[in-house]
Amino acid sequence: MSKMSYSLPIGPIHPALKEPVMFEFEIEGERIVNVDFKVGHVHRGIEWIGTQKNPLQILPIAERICGICNISHPIAFCIAVENAAGIDVPERAQYIRVIVAELERIHSHILWAGVAAHEIGFDSVLFLTWRVREKVLDLIEYLTGNRITKAMFTVGGVRRDITEDQYPKIREALNYYKEMFNKLKHVFLDDKTVMMRSRDCGILTKKEALELCAVGPTARASGVKKDVRVDYAYAAYGDLDIKTVTPDAVTGEVKGDVYDRIIVRLLEVAQSVDIIEQCLDNMPSGDLTAEAKPAKLLALLRKTVGEGVGRAEAPRGEVIHYVKLTGEEHPYTWKVRAPTYNNLMPWVPMLMGEQIADIPIVAASTDPCMSCTNRVTAVINGKRDVLTHEYLHKLSVEKTRRLMQ
Amino acid sequence: MITETFETITWAVLGTIGVGLFGIIFGLAYKGIDRKLAAHMQARVGPPLRQPFWDVIKLFVKENIVPEHAISWIFNLAPAVALGAVIITLLYLPIGGFAPILSGQGDIILILYLLIIPSLAMVIGGFSSGSPYATVGAQREMVMMMSYEFPLAITIIAVSWRLAISQFTNPFAMATIISHPIWNTVGLLGIIGCIMLLIVLLLVTPGEISKIPFDAPEAETEIAGGLLVEYSGRNLGLFYLADAVKTVVMGSLIVAIFFPYNISPFLNLSGYASYIADFVFYLVKLFLVIFFSITLIRVGVARLKIDQIVYTYWIPLTLVSLIGLLLIMFDSISWLHIGWW
């Protein structure tokens, strides 16, 4: 640390952060010269809890990994278990999964837009966007019975149907968002002060995004065409007309700054509306689940030996669930990788060289979700510790040696 | 002789107490109105109008914590200095039909200096609290002071200078400024210049009292309240009051320079009725100034970064105020003076 600089801790509890994460900045005047961060404040041992329960009991827990991505985690988990057990999901259920997942994306992106506005001190826009978001929450409640935690999915299908007589209300809400889209676009993309705060701020170049494995809107805003819905289509996405969104659709160039991330999320709201309309138009008839009786389904899963990986595009990026079933009541392993895990390291190039004033909006621009990310907390001799690369490497070498004996 | 002196002193003391109470009560009331209106503009219900009063009462009964690393006497003194300085500033400003309690030859220059003291007290309090957030906030506040001071000074000097050109005695005295409204003195060019200066002053006001978009020193989402992060209880309450009174001070300054008109001559009122009418009219003018310079701006824009604030004040606003000054200067040249009346 040079003589000119001083350290500024931000977090774990700070008004700029919606969830605990600890930043340690080295600042010169207002400029950030170095940044480090520590995660692991909200480790809940969810994977361990999961290995004490059967797959159907894990579903509600998977839904509670993240308050906002409560569709993405169950869908990834269901796909993983379905892969392991070789269950084919009926087509109608696939379409319903897509509709609910896209409704979640709309509400998540609009929620983010409000948070971002609050971070730059634009509270009027916060209240506007969250009022706009109410409409989709009402629709979700109408379709699933809950505003947030939807409890829609089961292994092999969905638990509730979306019927023809529900279409008018869905279409009404979609039309509302089509109208509001232009208004939101005007507020976020044309406002002078929003532009001043977000343009050329927190830049993540395409090269850095690729090197650090950024996912979701963060990667797409840097020009990386990466979207699980397109690249590895799951559920009904393969049938639908869907393109990866990049910011050059609006501005004609990719800068990878906060402004571009706003553009990507806004366009994805419009895209989600379009996807739901396509689903409603092409909704096939058929069963809701591959196996309607839970007892029979559990019996099948108990007999299953195998492993499966489920990938889904959450509003924040790619969610991966890995499940290993060994012919027992409970899964042998359940591994969750939330998108924020990949989007943590891009914070460093984004924040480097920026001002203190940029910290909240840049940190928020990846839409971080800390409690989804925290899979492990190292406590050694009663103290929190950081496991270094060398230590982990040593552990894995020892493990390999043990296996070779 | 002695009774006369005694009487003068008594009046001065009573007047000071009265003006102080006026500043605090109406400052808090305007804060309540501001919050309510801002809430309605954001489609919220908002707090009740008396909420700022409850906030202050609550703050005064709460524990006053002095951080371990703070220099406690400076830390405790700063809020009192801030409140004292803004109340003294208010003594130099006319309130309704009442003349200022204190007056002299260079009131307006003195007001310029007095306005710095609350900000300076906050800076000193922030630095003495020993928190990195407060230190960042204090640095930002100093930078802010350097940036808005120049357009503010140009505006005020321009008006006084124009009065001096028109052969009024004591052009820097508040009494001269309010008895000879600038609009009556200048011609067409001057009026355009004055409108520009008024806009500059309306935009300097949110900077003076650290409101969005110029609230970088306190930025809650960035540095968690900045200067005030370590303040609690009575000390925070005093800063809250100082902020409320400073709002009235800035509003009154704009009213005194640009809208010093009274309503009683138009209504042919005299005696107590004229005082009441003028006072109510003054409150309305004050409300309009506060509404346009604080409430309307703060709901309509995002917070700026400190370098953007400096740029905004130094380049566009200074340019506008200099052009305003030039127009007023040209206006004083006789063949350019266009009066349409």
Side-chain angles (χ1 to χ4, degrees), chain B residues 31 43 53 76 97 99-100 147 150 171 185 190 202 236 240 259 267 272 276 279 294 322 326 331:
Chain B
K31 234 179 163 56
F53 293 92
N76 286 321
S147 31
F150 193 43
T185 314
L202 285 176
L236 186 58
Y240 193 90
F259 313 107
L267 300 176
Y272 287 115
I276 293 169
F279 186 67
I294 295 170
L322 280 176
L326 280 177
D331 182 67

Side-chain angles (χ1 to χ4, degrees), chain B residues 74-154:
Chain B
I74 301 181
F75 185 79
N76 286 321
L77 189 65
V81 170
L83 182 59
V86 282
I87 290 178
I88 293 171
T89 320
L90 200 54
L91 297 183
Y92 283 94
L93 289 163
I95 290 164
F98 306 100
I101 307 245
L102 298 176
S103 58
Q105 300 236 322
D107 301 341
I108 201 106
I109 304 290
L110 187 62
I111 287 169
L112 267 184
Y113 278 96
L114 281 172
L115 275 175
I116 303 173
I117 296 179
S119 309
L120 216 52
M122 281 179 91
V123 168
I124 292 167
F127 273 131
S128 69
S129 61
S131 153
Y133 294 147
T135 312
V136 173
Q139 289 168 353
R140 287 182 177 181
E141 178 73 44
M142 286 198 301
V143 174
M144 284 260 295
M145 278 157 65
M146 283 186 259
S147 31
Y148 64 64
E149 221 53 68
F150 193 43
L152 175 68
I154 293 177

Side-chain angles (χ1 to χ4, degrees), chain A residues 108-226:
Chain A
S108 172
H109 281 345
I110 295 178
L111 175 118
W112 174 84
V115 170
H118 175 67
E119 302 287 13
I120 56 171
F122 208 157
D123 283 350
S124 304
V125 176
L126 162 72
F127 295 117
L128 169 75
T129 48
W130 283 31
R131 203 150 44 95
V132 171
R133 175 173 168 259
E134 278 303 304
K135 190 86 183 170
V136 72
L137 289 179
D138 286 348
L139 180 64
I140 291 171
E141 186 176 359
Y142 173 69
L143 292 175
T144 71
N146 293 307
R147 269 163 67 89
I148 303 292
T149 316
K150 302 168 192 75
M152 257 317 247
F153 294 164
T154 182
V155 174
V158 291
R159 297 176 57 213
R160 277 168 186 259
D161 197 6
I162 294 176
T163 53
E164 289 272 351
D165 54 320
Q166 289 175 318
Y167 285 12
K169 274 210 170 177
I170 302 177
R171 287 195 194 277
E172 187 215 321
L174 295 181
N175 288 334
Y176 172 75
Y177 281 106
K178 276 185 191 162
E179 278 167 32
M180 287 311 286
F181 175 72
N182 285 327
K183 193 171 179 184
L184 287 179
K185 198 174 158 191
H186 177 65
V187 166
F188 278 97
L189 303 187
D190 301 338
D191 186 273
K192 186 91 190 340
T193 46
V194 173
M195 183 81 120
M196 281 168 89
R197 289 302 304 271
S198 58
R199 193 90 255 205
D200 295 319
C201 157
I203 291 179
L204 182 74
T205 60
K206 187 173 181 177
K207 186 166 166 281
E208 286 162 343
L210 284 169
E211 279 172 358
L212 296 168
C213 296
V215 291
T218 312
R220 290 196 281 276
S222 296
V224 182
K225 292 204 178 234
K226 190 172 176 182

Side-chain angles (χ1 to χ4, degrees), chain B residues 32-99:
Chain B
I33 295 170
D34 163 61
R35 282 168 72 173
K36 193 81 183 168
L37 286 176
H40 279 301
M41 281 187 249
Q42 295 172 336
R44 290 185 289 128
V45 178
L49 287 177
R50 61 172 188 273
Q51 189 62 43
F53 293 92
W54 290 122
D55 288 349
V56 169
I57 292 167
K58 183 81 185 251
L59 282 174
F60 272 86
V61 297
K62 293 203 93 167
E63 192 189 358
N64 188 19
I65 299 166
V66 180
E68 210 170 294
H69 298 292
I71 306 159
S72 62
W73 68 273
I74 301 181
F75 185 79
N76 286 321
L77 189 65
V81 170
L83 182 59
V86 282
I87 290 178
I88 293 171
T89 320
L90 200 54
L91 297 183
Y92 283 94
L93 289 163
I95 290 164
F98 306 100

